Amino acid sequence: QPVASKKTTRLRQMLEGQGLSFLMEAHNGLSAKIVEEAGFQGIWGSGLSISAALGVRDNNEASWTQVLEVVEFMADATTIPILLDGDTGYGNFNSARRLVRKLEQRGIAGVCMEDKIFPKTNSFLRSTAQPLADIEEFAGKIRAAKEAQTDSDFVVVARVEALIAGHGLEEALKRGEAYRKAGADAILIHSKERHADEILAFKKEWGDRLPLVIVPTKYYRTPTDVFREAGFKIVIWANHAMRSAITAMQATVKQIFQDEHLMNVEERVAPLADVFRLQGENELEQAEKAYLPRG
Ligand code: SPV
Ligand code: MG
């Protein structure tokens, strides 16, 4: 399949094409660039990671326009599509459809919205105590989001939290079906189990009604071929750029604090040349030659 020019089209092809695709988490322009350089075909704009990088909790403490600013930097820094973790859509159907319009304007390829209540809490915290959205209300939100998009390839993923919240397979399937009927392009079926049994059971019952997206943060030991053979379309590596940044920064900062010099870290941190390259410094040097008066 030839590579489409529009980011929205490319994200859609990952969902609708053959085989399994991957989205790698990024949380700012720099990490987004690093994800693209590694060879990934798409980016997960993780709510958890963006919040953590801003120094706040994953409870909508960052406002939706603050998230929009971050994801705009990510889109500007890269050429691959971004699927934004849009939490609950930051309010009701009206907030969700306005979000879709703003994301389209800023070059984001799609949004994922979860069937919880604003303000949300991360799925891995106090999960069984988390109230789910009313199924009809959330279906209306998905319908509003789909009807708001102007680019027909913009992707709206509906995220089912029923398994996370402890409501079981039947409720998860019922919700998935309601969101499919509302026009969702794909279902993200989330799980906090340490093995893949429940998402595999979901896939078996679901069949091929819509493409399925998964986030194996907790069931990370499951071989990727299990997902591929089961027929999932997208795997999201949801937070590992942010977590590796924490590990690296902690080690470096601690070392400098202890040593009161830089000799033990210089060889272990990215050279400044790498920073300038990632910033696209070279392009500006060329542009200065082209546009500034010679003199
Ligand atoms: C995120 O990356 O913010 C997600 C995935 O929504 S999870 O943290 O697993 O809920
Ligand atoms: Mg999230």
Side-chain angles (χ1 to χ4, degrees), residues 208-251:
D208 295 317
R209 281 181 257 175
L210 274 184
L212 292 185
V213 180
I214 53 171
V215 185
T217 300
K218 293 283 182 178
Y219 46 100
Y220 64 90
R221 286 193 176 86
T222 308
T224 299
D225 276 343
V226 171
F227 307 140
R228 191 175 277 119
E229 278 151 30
F232 291 101
K233 297 311 286 188
I234 291 184
V235 167
I236 295 175
W237 312 122
N239 47 46
H240 304 79
M242 178 269 292
R243 286 164 62 194
S244 64
I246 291 175
T247 307
M249 287 193 280
Q250 284 172 331

Side-chain angles (χ1 to χ4, degrees), residues 195-207:
H195 50 78
D197 296 3
E198 71 179 10
I199 58 115
L200 291 169
F202 183 94
K203 173 63 185 147
K204 195 153 171 262
E205 292 296 320
W206 181 259

